[in-house]
mmCIF file of all heavy atoms in Angstrom:
data_model
loop_
_atom_site.group_PDB
_atom_site.id
_atom_site.type_symbol
_atom_site.label_atom_id
_atom_site.label_comp_id
_atom_site.label_asym_id
_atom_site.label_seq_id
_atom_site.Cartn_x
_atom_site.Cartn_y
_atom_site.Cartn_z
ATOM 1 N N LYS A 1 18.592 10.738 -7.860
ATOM 2 C CA LYS A 1 19.735 10.486 -8.728
ATOM 3 C C LYS A 1 20.279 9.022 -8.540
ATOM 4 O O LYS A 1 20.644 8.354 -9.513
ATOM 5 C CB LYS A 1 20.847 11.530 -8.577
ATOM 6 C CG LYS A 1 20.412 12.938 -9.014
ATOM 7 C CD LYS A 1 21.539 13.959 -8.923
ATOM 8 C CE LYS A 1 22.530 13.816 -10.022
ATOM 9 N NZ LYS A 1 23.484 14.956 -10.012
ATOM 10 N N CYS A 2 20.368 8.666 -7.313
ATOM 11 C CA CYS A 2 20.846 7.228 -6.978
ATOM 12 C C CYS A 2 19.890 6.249 -7.646
ATOM 13 O O CYS A 2 20.386 5.275 -8.297
ATOM 14 C CB CYS A 2 20.870 7.001 -5.486
ATOM 15 S SG CYS A 2 22.308 7.744 -4.681
ATOM 16 N N SER A 3 18.577 6.461 -7.536
ATOM 17 C CA SER A 3 17.615 5.513 -8.076
ATOM 18 C C SER A 3 17.705 5.471 -9.633
ATOM 19 O O SER A 3 17.762 4.377 -10.222
ATOM 20 C CB SER A 3 16.238 5.873 -7.637
ATOM 21 O OG SER A 3 15.239 5.033 -8.165
ATOM 22 N N LEU A 4 17.751 6.629 -10.269
ATOM 23 C CA LEU A 4 17.801 6.710 -11.704
ATOM 24 C C LEU A 4 19.121 6.087 -12.257
ATOM 25 O O LEU A 4 19.119 5.411 -13.276
ATOM 26 C CB LEU A 4 17.697 8.137 -12.118
ATOM 27 C CG LEU A 4 16.309 8.768 -11.918
ATOM 28 C CD1 LEU A 4 16.338 10.270 -12.331
ATOM 29 C CD2 LEU A 4 15.228 8.047 -12.771
ATOM 30 N N ALA A 5 20.272 6.399 -11.540
ATOM 31 C CA ALA A 5 21.500 5.832 -11.996
ATOM 32 C C ALA A 5 21.516 4.316 -11.944
ATOM 33 O O ALA A 5 21.971 3.619 -12.917
ATOM 34 C CB ALA A 5 22.663 6.372 -11.154
ATOM 35 N N THR A 6 20.936 3.769 -10.893
ATOM 36 C CA THR A 6 20.909 2.280 -10.776
ATOM 37 C C THR A 6 19.999 1.705 -11.845
ATOM 38 O O THR A 6 20.356 0.692 -12.481
ATOM 39 C CB THR A 6 20.318 1.942 -9.385
ATOM 40 O OG1 THR A 6 21.144 2.481 -8.362
ATOM 41 C CG2 THR A 6 20.227 0.416 -9.222
ATOM 42 N N LEU A 7 18.910 2.347 -12.102
ATOM 43 C CA LEU A 7 17.927 1.847 -13.134
ATOM 44 C C LEU A 7 18.539 1.909 -14.526
ATOM 45 O O LEU A 7 18.524 0.905 -15.271
ATOM 46 C CB LEU A 7 16.692 2.665 -13.022
ATOM 47 C CG LEU A 7 15.509 2.223 -13.874
ATOM 48 C CD1 LEU A 7 15.032 0.849 -13.441
ATOM 49 C CD2 LEU A 7 14.355 3.250 -13.823
ATOM 50 N N LEU A 8 19.091 3.083 -14.916
ATOM 51 C CA LEU A 8 19.536 3.212 -16.270
ATOM 52 C C LEU A 8 20.857 2.504 -16.581
ATOM 53 O O LEU A 8 21.140 2.186 -17.699
ATOM 54 C CB LEU A 8 19.711 4.738 -16.619
ATOM 55 C CG LEU A 8 18.418 5.506 -16.609
ATOM 56 C CD1 LEU A 8 18.672 6.940 -16.812
ATOM 57 C CD2 LEU A 8 17.480 4.978 -17.675
ATOM 58 N N ASN A 9 21.608 2.239 -15.541
ATOM 59 C CA ASN A 9 22.900 1.537 -15.749
ATOM 60 C C ASN A 9 22.717 0.084 -16.061
ATOM 61 O O ASN A 9 23.540 -0.573 -16.702
ATOM 62 C CB ASN A 9 23.760 1.627 -14.458
ATOM 63 C CG ASN A 9 25.152 1.034 -14.633
ATOM 64 O OD1 ASN A 9 25.827 1.365 -15.639
ATOM 65 N ND2 ASN A 9 25.615 0.265 -13.721
ATOM 66 N N ASN A 10 21.500 -0.446 -15.742
ATOM 67 C CA ASN A 10 21.254 -1.847 -15.884
ATOM 68 C C ASN A 10 20.024 -2.255 -16.739
ATOM 69 O O ASN A 10 19.901 -3.364 -17.226
ATOM 70 C CB ASN A 10 21.133 -2.501 -14.530
ATOM 71 C CG ASN A 10 22.354 -2.311 -13.651
ATOM 72 O OD1 ASN A 10 23.342 -2.992 -13.824
ATOM 73 N ND2 ASN A 10 22.256 -1.328 -12.696
ATOM 74 N N TYR A 11 19.077 -1.298 -16.897
ATOM 75 C CA TYR A 11 17.802 -1.635 -17.465
ATOM 76 C C TYR A 11 17.352 -0.572 -18.419
ATOM 77 O O TYR A 11 17.879 0.600 -18.427
ATOM 78 C CB TYR A 11 16.712 -1.800 -16.352
ATOM 79 C CG TYR A 11 17.151 -2.612 -15.214
ATOM 80 C CD1 TYR A 11 17.725 -2.057 -14.063
ATOM 81 C CD2 TYR A 11 17.124 -4.025 -15.284
ATOM 82 C CE1 TYR A 11 18.169 -2.818 -13.025
ATOM 83 C CE2 TYR A 11 17.523 -4.787 -14.223
ATOM 84 C CZ TYR A 11 18.087 -4.207 -13.053
ATOM 85 O OH TYR A 11 18.543 -4.939 -12.012
ATOM 86 N N LYS A 12 16.378 -0.845 -19.278
ATOM 87 C CA LYS A 12 15.721 0.139 -20.137
ATOM 88 C C LYS A 12 14.246 0.145 -19.809
ATOM 89 O O LYS A 12 13.635 -0.799 -19.385
ATOM 90 C CB LYS A 12 15.972 -0.210 -21.540
ATOM 91 C CG LYS A 12 15.391 -1.470 -22.076
ATOM 92 C CD LYS A 12 15.728 -1.648 -23.558
ATOM 93 C CE LYS A 12 15.192 -2.996 -24.130
ATOM 94 N NZ LYS A 12 15.501 -3.175 -25.546
ATOM 95 N N LEU A 13 13.677 1.324 -20.116
ATOM 96 C CA LEU A 13 12.232 1.601 -19.847
ATOM 97 C C LEU A 13 11.534 1.739 -21.129
ATOM 98 O O LEU A 13 11.988 2.441 -22.016
ATOM 99 C CB LEU A 13 12.124 2.895 -19.025
ATOM 100 C CG LEU A 13 12.475 2.836 -17.521
ATOM 101 C CD1 LEU A 13 12.698 4.289 -17.019
ATOM 102 C CD2 LEU A 13 11.372 2.218 -16.746
ATOM 103 N N GLU A 14 10.288 1.185 -21.175
ATOM 104 C CA GLU A 14 9.396 1.458 -22.310
ATOM 105 C C GLU A 14 8.021 1.712 -21.747
ATOM 106 O O GLU A 14 7.614 1.075 -20.761
ATOM 107 C CB GLU A 14 9.303 0.193 -23.248
ATOM 108 C CG GLU A 14 10.617 -0.147 -23.888
ATOM 109 C CD GLU A 14 10.610 -1.454 -24.675
ATOM 110 O OE1 GLU A 14 10.198 -2.438 -24.054
ATOM 111 O OE2 GLU A 14 10.818 -1.434 -25.885
ATOM 112 N N LEU A 15 7.271 2.613 -22.341
ATOM 113 C CA LEU A 15 5.943 2.960 -21.886
ATOM 114 C C LEU A 15 4.979 1.763 -22.057
ATOM 115 O O LEU A 15 4.923 1.177 -23.074
ATOM 116 C CB LEU A 15 5.409 4.149 -22.560
ATOM 117 C CG LEU A 15 4.158 4.841 -21.944
ATOM 118 C CD1 LEU A 15 4.522 5.424 -20.547
ATOM 119 C CD2 LEU A 15 3.663 5.915 -22.845
ATOM 120 N N SER A 16 4.200 1.468 -20.979
ATOM 121 C CA SER A 16 3.182 0.431 -21.098
ATOM 122 C C SER A 16 1.896 1.020 -21.623
ATOM 123 O O SER A 16 1.515 2.152 -21.237
ATOM 124 C CB SER A 16 3.029 -0.209 -19.677
ATOM 125 O OG SER A 16 1.776 -0.935 -19.703
ATOM 126 N N PRO A 17 1.082 0.210 -22.374
ATOM 127 C CA PRO A 17 -0.196 0.687 -22.808
ATOM 128 C C PRO A 17 -1.189 0.922 -21.717
ATOM 129 O O PRO A 17 -2.232 1.592 -21.868
ATOM 130 C CB PRO A 17 -0.707 -0.477 -23.685
ATOM 131 C CG PRO A 17 0.522 -1.268 -24.082
ATOM 132 C CD PRO A 17 1.493 -1.059 -22.952
ATOM 133 N N LYS A 18 -0.825 0.450 -20.469
ATOM 134 C CA LYS A 18 -1.762 0.711 -19.330
ATOM 135 C C LYS A 18 -1.778 2.168 -18.960
ATOM 136 O O LYS A 18 -2.717 2.603 -18.215
ATOM 137 C CB LYS A 18 -1.264 -0.155 -18.157
ATOM 138 C CG LYS A 18 -1.662 -1.634 -18.231
ATOM 139 C CD LYS A 18 -1.314 -2.349 -16.955
ATOM 140 C CE LYS A 18 -1.706 -3.755 -16.942
ATOM 141 N NZ LYS A 18 -1.419 -4.451 -15.693
ATOM 142 N N THR A 19 -0.741 2.940 -19.311
ATOM 143 C CA THR A 19 -0.750 4.381 -18.954
ATOM 144 C C THR A 19 -1.852 5.094 -19.706
ATOM 145 O O THR A 19 -1.907 5.028 -20.925
ATOM 146 C CB THR A 19 0.592 4.992 -19.335
ATOM 147 O OG1 THR A 19 1.673 4.337 -18.565
ATOM 148 C CG2 THR A 19 0.598 6.461 -18.920
ATOM 149 N N GLN A 20 -2.721 5.784 -19.018
ATOM 150 C CA GLN A 20 -3.875 6.457 -19.634
ATOM 151 C C GLN A 20 -3.427 7.859 -20.149
ATOM 152 O O GLN A 20 -3.115 8.740 -19.382
ATOM 153 C CB GLN A 20 -4.987 6.587 -18.583
ATOM 154 C CG GLN A 20 -5.521 5.268 -18.073
ATOM 155 C CD GLN A 20 -6.523 5.398 -17.000
ATOM 156 O OE1 GLN A 20 -7.092 6.494 -16.791
ATOM 157 N NE2 GLN A 20 -6.797 4.349 -16.254
ATOM 158 N N LEU A 21 -3.443 7.943 -21.466
ATOM 159 C CA LEU A 21 -3.061 9.170 -22.126
ATOM 160 C C LEU A 21 -4.241 9.893 -22.721
ATOM 161 O O LEU A 21 -5.160 9.205 -23.269
ATOM 162 C CB LEU A 21 -1.985 8.940 -23.189
ATOM 163 C CG LEU A 21 -0.708 8.337 -22.713
ATOM 164 C CD1 LEU A 21 0.196 7.921 -23.803
ATOM 165 C CD2 LEU A 21 0.016 9.227 -21.744
ATOM 166 N N PRO A 22 -4.371 11.184 -22.711
ATOM 167 C CA PRO A 22 -3.446 12.109 -22.042
ATOM 168 C C PRO A 22 -3.609 12.024 -20.525
ATOM 169 O O PRO A 22 -4.643 11.636 -20.003
ATOM 170 C CB PRO A 22 -3.847 13.523 -22.583
ATOM 171 C CG PRO A 22 -5.327 13.324 -22.872
ATOM 172 C CD PRO A 22 -5.463 11.946 -23.375
ATOM 173 N N LEU A 23 -2.542 12.368 -19.788
ATOM 174 C CA LEU A 23 -2.546 12.240 -18.380
ATOM 175 C C LEU A 23 -3.620 13.159 -17.730
ATOM 176 O O LEU A 23 -3.718 14.383 -18.095
ATOM 177 C CB LEU A 23 -1.165 12.612 -17.774
ATOM 178 C CG LEU A 23 -0.024 11.763 -18.244
ATOM 179 C CD1 LEU A 23 1.286 12.217 -17.526
ATOM 180 C CD2 LEU A 23 -0.210 10.267 -17.992
ATOM 181 N N GLN A 24 -4.384 12.653 -16.758
ATOM 182 C CA GLN A 24 -5.326 13.419 -15.996
ATOM 183 C C GLN A 24 -4.981 13.249 -14.508
ATOM 184 O O GLN A 24 -4.811 12.127 -14.125
ATOM 185 C CB GLN A 24 -6.718 13.001 -16.274
ATOM 186 C CG GLN A 24 -7.172 13.175 -17.752
ATOM 187 C CD GLN A 24 -7.348 14.637 -18.153
ATOM 188 O OE1 GLN A 24 -7.618 15.493 -17.350
ATOM 189 N NE2 GLN A 24 -7.081 14.999 -19.407
ATOM 190 N N MET A 25 -4.902 14.287 -13.765
ATOM 191 C CA MET A 25 -4.556 14.216 -12.368
ATOM 192 C C MET A 25 -5.741 13.920 -11.511
ATOM 193 O O MET A 25 -6.846 14.434 -11.702
ATOM 194 C CB MET A 25 -3.779 15.492 -11.927
ATOM 195 C CG MET A 25 -2.573 15.750 -12.728
ATOM 196 S SD MET A 25 -1.436 14.314 -12.855
ATOM 197 C CE MET A 25 -0.594 14.641 -14.468
ATOM 198 N N LEU A 26 -5.466 13.133 -10.440
ATOM 199 C CA LEU A 26 -6.565 12.742 -9.524
ATOM 200 C C LEU A 26 -6.973 13.933 -8.657
ATOM 201 O O LEU A 26 -6.163 14.783 -8.251
ATOM 202 C CB LEU A 26 -6.123 11.644 -8.554
ATOM 203 C CG LEU A 26 -5.964 10.247 -9.195
ATOM 204 C CD1 LEU A 26 -5.300 9.332 -8.165
ATOM 205 C CD2 LEU A 26 -7.275 9.635 -9.659
ATOM 206 N N PRO A 27 -8.308 14.069 -8.409
ATOM 207 C CA PRO A 27 -8.767 15.033 -7.400
ATOM 208 C C PRO A 27 -8.547 14.512 -5.990
ATOM 209 O O PRO A 27 -8.120 13.327 -5.773
ATOM 210 C CB PRO A 27 -10.194 15.244 -7.752
ATOM 211 C CG PRO A 27 -10.666 13.866 -8.240
ATOM 212 C CD PRO A 27 -9.400 13.335 -8.974
ATOM 213 N N ALA A 28 -8.917 15.289 -4.986
ATOM 214 C CA ALA A 28 -8.941 14.869 -3.541
ATOM 215 C C ALA A 28 -7.582 14.439 -3.037
ATOM 216 O O ALA A 28 -7.536 13.701 -2.030
ATOM 217 C CB ALA A 28 -9.918 13.751 -3.339
ATOM 218 N N VAL A 29 -6.467 14.875 -3.676
ATOM 219 C CA VAL A 29 -5.142 14.614 -3.095
ATOM 220 C C VAL A 29 -4.383 15.916 -3.192
ATOM 221 O O VAL A 29 -4.623 16.763 -4.026
ATOM 222 C CB VAL A 29 -4.419 13.506 -3.912
ATOM 223 C CG1 VAL A 29 -4.998 12.122 -3.563
ATOM 224 C CG2 VAL A 29 -4.379 13.761 -5.376
ATOM 225 N N LEU A 30 -3.427 16.005 -2.261
ATOM 226 C CA LEU A 30 -2.637 17.290 -2.231
ATOM 227 C C LEU A 30 -1.456 17.290 -3.216
ATOM 228 O O LEU A 30 -1.010 18.333 -3.544
ATOM 229 C CB LEU A 30 -1.993 17.404 -0.804
ATOM 230 C CG LEU A 30 -2.979 17.568 0.299
ATOM 231 C CD1 LEU A 30 -2.259 17.581 1.702
ATOM 232 C CD2 LEU A 30 -3.839 18.817 0.193
ATOM 233 N N LEU A 31 -1.125 16.124 -3.700
ATOM 234 C CA LEU A 31 0.008 15.986 -4.566
ATOM 235 C C LEU A 31 -0.408 15.704 -6.027
ATOM 236 O O LEU A 31 -1.609 15.441 -6.329
ATOM 237 C CB LEU A 31 1.000 14.928 -4.094
ATOM 238 C CG LEU A 31 1.464 15.087 -2.641
ATOM 239 C CD1 LEU A 31 2.313 13.960 -2.172
ATOM 240 C CD2 LEU A 31 2.220 16.466 -2.517
#
């Protein structure tokens, strides 16, 4: 919540074309 509040109080976010859609999750990781 601290991080999001700092970000949204001062900046705006837009999706970058670098994001690969649709999202596919990596194998070989626990998360």
Side-chain angles (χ1 to χ4, degrees):
K1 293 182 76 170
C2 282
S3 179
L4 291 175
T6 302
L7 187 64
L8 293 175
N9 188 46
N10 301 281
Y11 313 95
K12 64 180 178 181
L13 285 161
E14 296 172 305
L15 193 66
S16 164
K18 283 188 178 180
T19 301
Q20 298 175 17
L21 299 174
L23 300 181
Q24 299 291 330
M25 303 306 153
L26 288 174
V29 288
L30 297 175
L31 304 175

